[in-house]
Amino acid sequence: MTGFFNTSFGARLANDLRKRAGSVELIDGMNGLEAYYERHKLVAKANPIVNGKSKKDFHVAHKVALNDSGGRKGLYSKSNLIVVPARLNQSFGNQAIFINAEPGEHFLWTKDLQKKFKVDESTSHDELRNLLISFLGHEFIEWVDDKNLSRRKPKGESIN
């Protein structure tokens, strides 16, 4: 569990939560975490490796953006996450692309987020790990242990 943020998935999740989401409360329980993980595995398979580097042709996108311009924050949930071409995802910006979005299923209102679960770029790995355990429960620890996640490659090391 202590090495979770040294895995490719753990580092991606930490970066996303700190820089974009701003709250662990946007993870829709363990089902939402699993959905995010499965979509990232799909993206990893879809993005080709060229000259030792993974191309970024596809992204995991949110139907309701993490920082939607309407005061909403898109959830990491099975119903809110999709895999799309990178160009298309970048064209969305912070706009929702899903008109019939439901609170609690696709998004939460920013005003309803609890302060105790908020994170930012200054949140340490230890603090983030504790918040994830506090929010998701000990099932999160078991999930991390069961997944046997691959460690991320150090910067500058090519992918084989």
Side-chain angles (χ1 to χ4, degrees):
M1 183 67 219
T2 57
F4 175 66
F5 297 113
N6 291 324
T7 67
S8 296
F9 178 73
R12 182 180 316 272
L13 179 65
N15 186 54
D16 227 22
L17 289 172
R18 287 179 181 143
K19 293 183 178 178
R20 298 179 59 228
S23 176
V24 299
E25 210 172 348
L26 296 177
I27 300 172
D28 189 28
M30 289 306 299
N31 289 334
L33 182 69
E34 182 69 27
Y36 188 60
Y37 174 71
E38 290 300 323
R39 278 150 186 85
H40 275 288
K41 281 185 3 185
L42 180 62
V43 164
K45 288 180 183 177
N47 286 326
I49 297 173
V50 177
N51 297 326
K53 292 190 175 193
S54 176
K55 291 192 73 173
K56 304 293 185 214
D57 294 339
F58 292 90
H59 287 173
V60 175
H62 292 77
K63 294 176 183 177
V64 175
L66 280 175
N67 290 309
D68 180 65
S69 55
R72 303 180 299 183
K73 289 213 163 254
L75 285 169
Y76 293 87
S77 67
K78 188 174 184 177
S79 61
N80 195 49
L81 296 168
I82 55 175
V83 174
V84 298
R87 286 189 333 263
L88 183 60
N89 185 40
Q90 291 165 337
S91 74
F92 297 149
N94 284 334
Q95 296 178 355
I97 58 167
F98 187 55
I99 296 169
N100 295 321
E102 294 290 328
E105 185 176 341
H106 302 99
F107 71 90
L108 295 175
W109 294 107
T110 303
K111 65 181 177 55
D112 294 336
L113 294 175
Q114 297 179 53
K115 189 175 185 175
K116 68 180 181 179
F117 291 119
K118 291 190 177 182
V119 297
D120 60 29
E121 291 186 55
S122 69
T123 305
S124 72
H125 280 169
D126 285 340
E127 291 169 319
L128 185 54
R129 183 181 308 104
N130 289 335
L131 283 171
L132 286 166
I133 293 168
S134 174
F135 184 69
L136 296 171
H138 286 283
E139 190 177 349
F140 172 66
I141 297 170
E142 294 168 13
W143 183 88
V144 171
D145 290 342
D146 288 345
K147 287 296 178 197
N148 194 24
L149 300 166
S150 60
R151 299 191 59 84
R152 67 181 173 170
K153 304 266 186 247
K155 289 192 180 216
E157 188 176 313
S158 65
I159 301 169
N160 293 328

